[in-house]
Amino acid sequence: MKLSEYEERREGFECHSAHVAAAKYRSVEFSVQGSYFVHQFKVRDLTLLSTQNATQYSIGVVVKENSEVVDLLKVGDVIKMKYYPKDFFLPADLVDMEIRHITKEDQGRFSGHYLIGLAPVDEIPQEPLH
């Protein structure tokens, strides 16, 4: 199943799809122009985490506010990301993802972090990596 199938934009389905995608993948890895590093983060269902944008349904990552990657990303950027399934025997999925929102959390469990919401670019074919 493609990651884009998890992030369908039909009304009333987004919350469920973000949860399913977060349940399938353990981490995402990507590099950003301007950084020498490859960044790896745990995949999260941001629907459950955001205190400010409870209506935003998305998968994404949680990044410390002082991380260099925060300054290198902006909403609308499209980045090729490698998603690692929780099942270690399955190959990683390479998907073009769009940065949908970058939300700073000022309270709660992720105070001092940014929630970076991701969405797959329209129907990109899944490319298994070996």
Side-chain angles (χ1 to χ4, degrees), residues 3-4 77-83 93-98 119-125 127:
L3 182 60
S4 59
D77 284 351
V78 175
I79 301 169
K80 192 168 290 294
M81 298 186 177
K82 189 186 297 187
Y83 280 82
D93 293 330
L94 193 59
V95 182
D96 286 335
M97 298 294 285
E98 179 183 351
V121 176
D122 294 330
E123 295 302 314
I124 300 296
E127 303 173 33

Side-chain angles (χ1 to χ4, degrees), residues 11-12 17 25 52 63 67 76 83 91 106 117 121 124 130:
E11 190 171 322
S17 63
Y25 295 101
Q52 298 174 10
V63 180
S67 173
Y83 280 82
D106 294 324
V121 176
I124 300 296
H130 299 282

Side-chain angles (χ1 to χ4, degrees), residues 5-122:
E5 292 173 26
Y6 293 123
E7 282 287 308
E8 289 185 26
R9 296 178 185 162
R10 291 180 290 163
E11 190 171 322
F13 187 74
E14 294 90 345
C15 181
H16 173 71
S17 63
H19 178 70
V20 171
K24 179 179 179 182
Y25 295 101
R26 64 180 161 86
S27 65
V28 62
E29 177 182 280
F30 60 92
S31 61
V32 181
Q33 188 171 355
S35 175
Y36 294 105
F37 303 103
V38 172
H39 302 277
Q40 188 171 37
F41 300 98
K42 180 179 178 179
V43 174
R44 297 184 182 265
D45 178 355
L46 298 185
T47 307
L48 305 174
L49 302 180
S50 180
T51 57
Q52 298 174 10
N53 290 332
T55 59
Q56 297 249 356
Y57 301 119
S58 65
I59 61 168
V61 296
V62 176
V63 180
K64 289 183 183 178
E65 67 182 335
N66 61 353
S67 173
E68 76 159 346
V69 77
V70 172
D71 296 327
L72 299 173
L73 296 175
K74 62 183 184 289
V75 174
D77 284 351
V78 175
I79 301 169
K80 192 168 290 294
M81 298 186 177
K82 189 186 297 187
Y83 280 82
Y84 292 95
K86 288 187 177 178
D87 184 342
F88 290 98
F89 296 105
L90 296 175
D93 293 330
L94 193 59
V95 182
D96 286 335
M97 298 294 285
E98 179 183 351
I99 307 295
R100 296 299 294 252
H101 65 85
I102 300 174
T103 307
K104 185 172 183 186
E105 287 293 298
D106 294 324
Q107 57 187 346
R109 178 177 170 195
F110 292 105
S111 176
H113 291 74
Y114 283 91
L115 306 182
I116 300 177
L118 306 169
V121 176
D122 294 330

